């Protein structure tokens, strides 16, 4: 449980454009990733990412997130 709701890999949300935006996942605290992270949908990072992040939607960085070589770009 997280904030009173069960965590899931995908759940619907609302995008700023009025369309549907889907959560595709997260990197939790204690998890490290090195390389290129390519995402579709909304993604949350609470762990450590070293490398490039390529996203079509929203990337949320939690307060404990650590991102090295911050290269964000739209795909």
């Amino acid at each position: 449980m997280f904030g009173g709701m069960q965590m899931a890999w995908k759940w619907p949300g609302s995008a700023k454009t009025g369309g549907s935006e889907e959560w595709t996942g997260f990197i939790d605290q204690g998890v490290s990733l090195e390389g290129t992270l390519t995402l579709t949908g909304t993604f949350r990072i609470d762990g450590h990412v070293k490398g490039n992040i390529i996203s079509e939607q929203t990337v949320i960085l939690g307060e404990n997130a650590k991102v090295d070589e911050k290269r964000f770009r739209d795909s």
Side-chain angles (χ1 to χ4, degrees), residues 16-28:
K16 294 177 185 173
T17 60
S20 177
E21 185 174 309
E22 215 172 74
W23 284 81
T24 56
F26 60 92
I27 295 177
D28 208 353

Side-chain angles (χ1 to χ4, degrees), residues 1-5 11 14 17-18 20 26-28 30 35 37 40 45-46 48 52 54-55 57 62-63 67 70 72:
M1 298 289 281
F2 179 77
M5 62 187 221
W11 63 91
S14 56
T17 60
S20 177
F26 60 92
I27 295 177
D28 208 353
L37 183 60
T40 58
I45 298 173
D46 287 309
H48 179 196
N52 298 315
I54 302 168
S55 177
Q57 296 287 336
E63 69 179 64
V67 179
K70 294 182 184 178
F72 292 92

Side-chain angles (χ1 to χ4, degrees), residues 2-69:
F2 179 77
M5 62 187 221
Q6 188 174 8
M7 295 299 289
W9 281 102
K10 292 186 177 185
W11 63 91
S14 56
K16 294 177 185 173
T17 60
S20 177
E21 185 174 309
E22 215 172 74
W23 284 81
T24 56
F26 60 92
I27 295 177
D28 208 353
Q29 290 181 16
V31 177
S32 295
L33 173 81
E34 186 169 343
T36 298
L37 183 60
T38 304
L39 311 166
T40 58
T42 300
F43 197 88
R44 181 178 174 102
I45 298 173
D46 287 309
H48 179 196
V49 175
K50 182 175 182 179
N52 298 315
I53 300 172
I54 302 168
S55 177
E56 295 177 1
Q57 296 287 336
T58 304
V59 176
I60 300 168
L61 299 178
E63 69 179 64
N64 295 314
K66 181 177 178 187
V67 179
D68 297 328
E69 299 179 34

